[in-house]
Amino acid sequence: MDIKNLNELFDYAVRLRRDIHEYPEIGFDLPRTTALVTEELKKMGYAPSHAYGVCSVVAEVGEGEELLLLRADMDALPVEEINDLPFKSKVAGKMHACGHDSHTAILLAVAKYLKAHEGELTRRVRLIFQPAEESAVSGAKMMMDAGVMEGVTEAVCTHCDNTVPVGQLVICPGDYMAACVPLSITFIGKTSHAAFPENGVDAVAMGVEAYNAMKAAVAKEAGGSIPYIWCNGRLSGGTAHNVVPDRCEMDISFRFYDMDFASRVESRVRAICAVIAEKFGGKCEIDWKMSTVPVHNDEAAALLFEKTIKEAGMQIGRVTPRMSSEDFGWILAKGKGFIFRFGTRNEAKGCTGPSHKNTFMIDEDGMKTAIEAFLTYACR
């Protein structure tokens, strides 16, 4: 595909990306980013909609029975940026440490081209800009529940990747990314003087016993053959050395591909915690919510994308499944599609650090590759 103004689109995306990077916003609270996206789309001639949930933006272009959905996430992370950049975050404690600023800018560049060439499209394209990909409550699920997948025949998104050399694309047909349950457990006991523990109910003791019992039970349920992650990221309780603690809180990240396995684990966890709470004479509260289901890349669609990219003379490789999560899984649960990644690694520029780190930087040249890939596939 000959995109004569690719460099112009790239420059436009870089300018927007840097603007968004300076003013990161988190979760469902994205007023500035949403306003920027809306205004840019209006300038192009779109009529953006906000009907799919708080701080979401949707626009359509083209005609035809087929409807291709392209998605970008817009939210940042609660991370303090320490990079020395001219467009470093100006908001204390917030940073685009996962590259969603680049995703938003890329899709706006794609939108710009598609609108200018609307008469050449053979299918409709729905562009969605989503909040809260990083949150325990999914922005993708919110938009899906509001009907953003209605009529969609295929859905595609991309993500920057500092493990992939700049200029290269990668994809994984089939199961690709894990589901995630950000599990919270609270044990409730009763305070007393530490010298008279018989008068209290030790919530931390309940938490410690549950920690070990759950870890062993999940491992047994997996049987050494089912891939999963069970990470207890926080266990806290108590107020002073001489007070029996009446509260113990645990935050666990449970990641998996097998939904039946997850259902069995949930039953085991609830039973273990109930038995332990009763044994100590306390109570237990469990908040089990799935932030995203697994990402399954439709194999036929992924292979067609791979073929299309190769025929266009671009570089694309394969990657293996990973245990990280992406709430685009909710979108793919409603229809076929895939996520591909664009390389942003460049050792000469220091763009090598992992995402979610306060030194995370991307080589922006990778954005040009992503723009070209989106347009090559959308206009094939």
Side-chain angles (χ1 to χ4, degrees):
M1 180 180 174
D2 183 19
I3 307 171
K4 292 184 174 60
N5 63 334
L6 180 58
N7 287 333
E8 180 184 324
L9 292 171
F10 171 60
D11 291 342
Y12 169 76
V14 168
R15 177 174 61 80
L16 288 180
R17 183 252 166 174
R18 293 183 177 187
D19 185 312
I20 296 167
H21 190 91
E22 284 188 290
Y23 300 97
E25 297 174 309
I26 293 176
F28 290 97
D29 187 21
L30 314 175
R32 186 184 186 278
T33 310
T34 303
L36 181 150
V37 170
T38 301
E39 184 60 29
E40 290 299 318
L41 290 170
K42 285 181 177 179
K43 288 178 187 176
M44 299 172 199
Y46 289 94
S49 168
H50 303 284
Y52 296 95
V54 61
C55 285
S56 67
V57 188
V58 176
E60 281 196 20
V61 61
E63 295 181 351
E65 292 185 6
E66 287 189 28
L67 176 55
L68 172 66
L69 181 149
L70 303 180
R71 171 271 213 167
D73 39 15
M74 303 184 288
D75 57 322
L77 286 160
V79 173
E80 183 75 29
E81 182 167 17
I82 62 173
N83 292 317
D84 183 17
L85 296 170
F87 53 92
K88 177 182 177 180
S89 171
K90 293 180 178 178
V91 184
K94 295 181 183 180
M95 175 190 175
H96 271 287
C98 200
H100 296 185
D101 50 347
S102 68
H103 305 167
T104 301
I106 286 165
L107 194 56
L108 283 170
V110 169
K112 193 178 185 72
Y113 183 93
L114 293 178
K115 193 63 178 175
H117 296 81
E118 186 168 13
E120 303 169 26
L121 296 177
T122 59
R123 55 180 168 175
R124 285 184 293 150
V125 179
R126 181 174 293 165
L127 307 151
I128 76 168
F129 297 83
Q130 172 209 310
E133 192 280 325
E134 299 287 1
S135 302
V137 178
S138 164
K141 186 175 189 302
M142 173 194 72
M143 296 185 74
M144 183 195 71
D145 289 344
V148 80
M149 282 294 287
E150 185 176 342
V152 172
T153 50
E154 187 175 4
V156 181
C157 80
T158 191
H159 202 297
C160 61
D161 196 320
N162 267 8
T163 68
V164 179
V166 67
Q168 185 171 334
L169 305 169
V170 294
I171 197 166
C172 175
D175 287 336
Y176 179 41
M177 300 181 75
C180 180
V181 171
L183 170 63
S184 293
I185 301 174
T186 302
F187 286 99
I188 302 169
K190 185 172 65 173
T191 60
S192 73
H193 195 295
F196 307 100
E198 66 276 9
N199 295 330
V201 176
D202 189 339
V204 169
M206 286 189 276
V208 170
E209 187 166 326
Y211 176 101
N212 293 317
M214 288 188 295
K215 189 173 182 179
V218 176
K220 184 176 180 180
E221 197 66 51
S225 61
I226 298 176
Y228 74 95
I229 296 291
W230 182 268
C231 174
N232 195 316
R234 186 177 74 95
L235 191 156
S236 64
T239 57
H241 79 94
N242 56 354
V243 178
V244 172
D246 67 343
R247 192 175 184 86
C248 180
E249 299 173 345
M250 307 169 71
D251 289 332
I252 297 165
S253 184
F254 176 38
R255 298 168 187 263
F256 53 89
Y257 290 103
D258 189 324
M259 299 294 283
D260 290 335
F261 164 67
S263 180
R264 296 195 302 271
V265 168
E266 180 179 3
S267 296
R268 293 287 300 274
V269 165
R270 290 187 181 278
I272 287 169
C273 291
V275 167
I276 290 173
E278 182 178 4
K279 170 185 168 183
F280 279 82
K283 296 179 181 179
C284 179
E285 297 174 352
I286 297 178
D287 184 12
W288 184 292
K289 293 178 181 175
M290 194 173 298
S291 62
T292 184
V293 293
V295 170
H296 179 83
N297 284 337
D298 181 84
E299 294 195 26
L303 291 174
L304 177 59
F305 175 77
E306 187 177 53
K307 179 174 181 289
T308 303
I309 293 302
K310 286 180 178 178
E311 288 176 349
M314 302 174 70
Q315 297 181 51
I316 185 166
R318 293 280 184 92
V319 286
T320 56
R322 53 201 296 167
M323 295 307 295
S324 55
S325 299
E326 159 65 64
D327 78 345
F328 193 62
W330 288 113
I331 300 292
L332 295 182
K334 279 290 184 179
K336 74 172 185 178
F338 57 88
I339 178 174
F340 69 94
R341 290 180 177 263
F342 64 98
T344 51
R345 181 180 182 85
N346 188 329
E347 294 181 10
K349 294 182 180 180
C351 303
T352 59
S355 60
H356 291 219
K357 190 174 180 180
N358 55 9
T359 56
F360 178 72
M361 289 193 300
I362 65 167
D363 184 344
E364 292 173 321
D365 288 348
M367 295 168 60
K368 183 189 290 189
T369 308
I371 294 167
E372 185 177 2
F374 262 141
L375 290 175
T376 298
Y377 191 67
C379 302
R380 73 181 191 279

